[in-house]
Amino acid sequence: MKTALFILICLICNLPCRTAAENSKINLFHEHLAPSLSFGSIDTAKWNLIFSDEFNSSDRFDTTKWSFAPRWSPAWAKYLTASPKYVRQESGNLLLRMDKQVIENDDVPYHSGGIQTAKKFNFRYGKVEVRAKFNQGKGSWPAIWMMPEHPVAYGDWPNSGEIDIMEHVNKEDKVHQTIHNGAVTGTDGGSTATEKGTYNTEDFNIYAIIWDVTKIEFYVNHVLRYTYYKSIPSTAAQWPFDKPFYLILNQSGGAGWPGAIDDADLPFQMEVDYVRVYQKQKTN
């Protein structure tokens, strides 16, 4: 009991005397303790809102904040389609869709929607909250995540880092929250720095991170689920998270991790109520 209390005090006070082995033990401790920890119990800082989108207008998204995520070679981007049919605002939400509609002069078998803030908004350290809802289906892959504004600052992926605030695949009753970098990501693209957690499968959930100079905390509905710590001493391979990152929202599927789509489960859709980014208020 005394040992557990000591670890909890270290976590709250953010004591820096941790080795990589100690980080692993603390992460394991967090997995068991997480249901009792929330924003209110571990985060007393004052925050300034530096970016937000409530998606309250109709039709097209705000192009001063977002651009269509482009179609290219990675599995998540294989069917992305720059069309308001796949990314639009409606009834106060952003709707990201995936379906099998035929589009003239675009002969990919599926089409999906995604947007990103690259070259329009990025930040280093802060708190991100995204309230979202999505349906399940074989081959579905909705995601809320972050990539470095300078994608090769420490080398090609995964060396420059990736922060997955939320990913969901297929018909799982869990969501995934994951770190990618050169130290934890294998040759198959999988990561050892990841946690699966329950979520409300029928309604909106709030997915969040708090990112600072020593750690990244992952939350679902204000409950701490996982913490990834900067090792002491650290390397760029283990901690490339000292550079600005941007946001990505996408409804993907049919390639890579989730596997093939069962067309009977289409369309896939993720609804996003809001995105809010905060940074700690500076003190004198």
Side-chain angles (χ1 to χ4, degrees):
M1 181 65 183
K2 290 182 179 179
T3 301
L5 180 60
F6 173 76
I7 294 173
L8 178 58
I9 291 170
C10 289
L11 292 172
I12 293 172
C13 296
N14 193 27
L15 298 181
C17 51
R18 293 186 296 267
T19 66
E22 288 168 334
N23 286 344
S24 178
K25 291 179 181 178
I26 291 173
N27 282 338
L28 180 62
F29 175 75
H30 259 167
E31 292 173 13
H32 293 284
L33 188 65
S36 66
L37 295 178
S38 66
F39 278 164
S41 63
I42 66 170
D43 178 29
T44 59
K46 292 184 178 180
W47 297 92
N48 291 325
L49 185 68
I50 62 168
F51 175 91
S52 69
D53 201 329
E54 307 295 318
F55 304 113
N56 286 330
S57 62
S58 60
D59 198 19
R60 295 179 180 268
F61 58 83
D62 187 343
T63 56
T64 68
K65 299 176 179 179
W66 306 91
S67 301
F68 283 110
R71 183 185 299 171
W72 59 304
S73 56
W76 74 274
K78 188 174 181 179
Y79 301 122
L80 289 173
T81 305
S83 166
K85 292 182 179 179
Y86 297 96
V87 185
R88 72 182 190 279
Q89 295 181 148
E90 183 179 296
S91 302
N93 294 322
L94 177 75
L95 306 183
L96 302 159
R97 179 182 175 90
M98 184 170 194
D99 63 25
K100 200 180 181 180
Q101 295 296 312
V102 174
I103 297 179
E104 188 176 359
N105 299 321
D106 188 4
D107 59 357
V108 294
Y110 300 99
H111 296 88
S112 66
I115 55 174
Q116 59 186 23
T117 65
K119 298 182 173 56
K120 298 190 176 185
F121 169 76
N122 61 70
F123 68 104
R124 184 180 66 164
Y125 311 136
K127 177 165 65 174
V128 181
E129 292 185 352
V130 181
R131 186 171 184 264
K133 174 184 179 181
F134 46 84
N135 62 345
Q136 298 185 350
K138 178 64 179 71
S140 178
W141 188 8
I144 300 163
W145 54 303
M146 297 167 57
M147 287 290 285
E149 185 70 38
H150 304 289
V152 294
Y154 292 113
D156 290 337
W157 189 91
N159 296 292
S160 295
E162 175 180 324
I163 303 170
D164 296 327
I165 301 171
M166 187 287 299
E167 292 179 282
H168 180 267
V169 291
N170 297 319
K171 299 183 180 182
E172 293 185 357
D173 61 357
K174 310 281 187 181
V175 292
H176 300 255
Q177 297 179 295
T178 305
I179 288 293
H180 286 282
N181 61 33
V184 300
T185 302
T187 55
D188 63 351
S191 173
T192 58
T194 187
E195 174 69 8
K196 284 198 301 185
T198 58
Y199 74 106
N200 185 338
T201 61
E202 303 298 327
D203 205 349
F204 284 88
N205 295 263
I206 297 174
Y207 304 102
I209 62 164
I210 296 179
W211 168 30
D212 64 29
V213 297
T214 63
K215 64 186 181 302
I216 303 172
E217 299 173 334
F218 293 83
Y219 296 82
V220 178
N221 296 324
H222 306 302
V223 177
L224 179 64
R225 295 299 184 185
Y226 178 66
T227 304
Y228 181 78
Y229 287 99
K230 179 181 181 180
S231 292
I232 300 173
S234 67
T235 64
Q238 191 271 332
W239 188 263
F241 305 109
D242 56 359
K243 304 291 184 183
F245 277 60
Y246 64 90
L247 297 161
I248 307 171
L249 309 172
N250 62 276
Q251 171 61 71
S252 297
W257 185 10
I261 291 173
D262 182 344
D263 292 349
D265 290 340
L266 291 170
F268 303 143
Q269 181 169 280
M270 180 165 69
E271 301 175 58
V272 181
D273 181 21
Y274 60 75
V275 175
R276 298 170 185 164
V277 181
Y278 305 83
Q279 285 186 326
K280 284 185 179 180
Q281 180 175 299
K282 292 182 179 179
T283 57
N284 295 328

